[in-house]
């Protein structure tokens, strides 16, 4: 991948609403050249979409936690993401190597909601859980340089 494309990706990762004109100024390309490159990056799947950064505290879900899940019966089908897909508090689900099978990133309003969520996850997926509560987030989703 060209360095210019990397620069465009980095800039868009920082500000997905950056105009083609501003991208051109930052990369030394014309607006039309930047537009073509961005379209090509989208077509190649390097840009998967654009989104907003949400203030979860203002949305009423200030408590973030990571929940590791481990199946009680490893011989069961590995369909845990499907079993848990309907739970709206789960923001992300990662398949991982190690003692656990998946790690879930969840957001809830208060500790009692987390307790309820853990119970629903355990029942719905037939798994044991290990939970880590986030105290603060100095940074998140940093663009790669």
């Amino acid at each position: 991948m060209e360095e210019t494309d990397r620069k465009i990706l980095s800039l868009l990762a920082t500000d997905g609403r950056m105009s083609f004109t501003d991208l051109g100024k930052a990369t030394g390309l014309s607006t039309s050249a930047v537009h073509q490159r961005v379209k090509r990056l989208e077509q190649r799947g390097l840009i998967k979409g654009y989104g907003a950064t949400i203030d979860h505290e203002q949305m009423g879900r200030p408590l973030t936690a990571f929940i590791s899940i481990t199946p009680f019966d490893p011989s069961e089908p590995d369909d845990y993401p499907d079993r848990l897909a309907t739970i709206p508090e789960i923001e992300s689900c990662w398949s991982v190597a190690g003692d656990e099978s998946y790690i879930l990133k969840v957001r809830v309003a208060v500790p009692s909601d987390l307790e309820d969520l853990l119970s629903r996850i355990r029942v719905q997926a037939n798994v044991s859980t290990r939970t880590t509560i986030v105290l603060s987030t100095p940074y998140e989703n940093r663009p790669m340089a």
Side-chain angles (χ1 to χ4, degrees), residues 4-92:
T4 303
D5 288 343
R6 288 184 193 279
K7 176 82 171 173
I8 290 170
L9 290 172
S10 177
L11 290 165
L12 287 174
T14 302
D15 179 4
R17 295 182 65 173
M18 188 175 231
S19 70
F20 294 131
T21 302
D22 289 339
L23 285 168
K25 288 177 186 173
T27 58
L29 297 173
S30 69
T31 301
S32 62
V34 168
H35 184 261
Q36 290 173 356
R37 283 181 180 257
V38 169
K39 290 298 174 200
R40 212 170 23 244
L41 291 167
E42 290 171 347
Q43 290 168 350
R44 290 174 48 201
L46 287 159
I47 297 174
K48 293 185 175 277
Y50 300 89
T53 302
I54 305 299
D55 183 330
H56 295 283
E57 193 163 324
Q58 288 190 44
M59 289 294 296
R61 290 188 176 175
L63 195 154
T64 303
F66 291 96
I67 302 171
S68 301
I69 65 170
T70 305
F72 286 124
D73 182 359
S75 67
E76 282 188 14
D78 185 0
D79 61 351
Y80 302 103
D82 294 334
R83 293 185 201 187
L84 301 172
T86 60
I87 300 176
E89 296 92 342
I90 300 174
E91 182 177 296
S92 301

Side-chain angles (χ1 to χ4, degrees), residues 106-124:
V106 302
R107 296 191 190 267
V108 294
V110 294
S112 60
D113 290 345
L114 179 59
E115 185 175 26
D116 174 64
L117 175 60
L118 288 167
S119 177
R120 286 186 285 139
I121 289 170
R122 290 178 189 132
V123 169
Q124 203 158 321

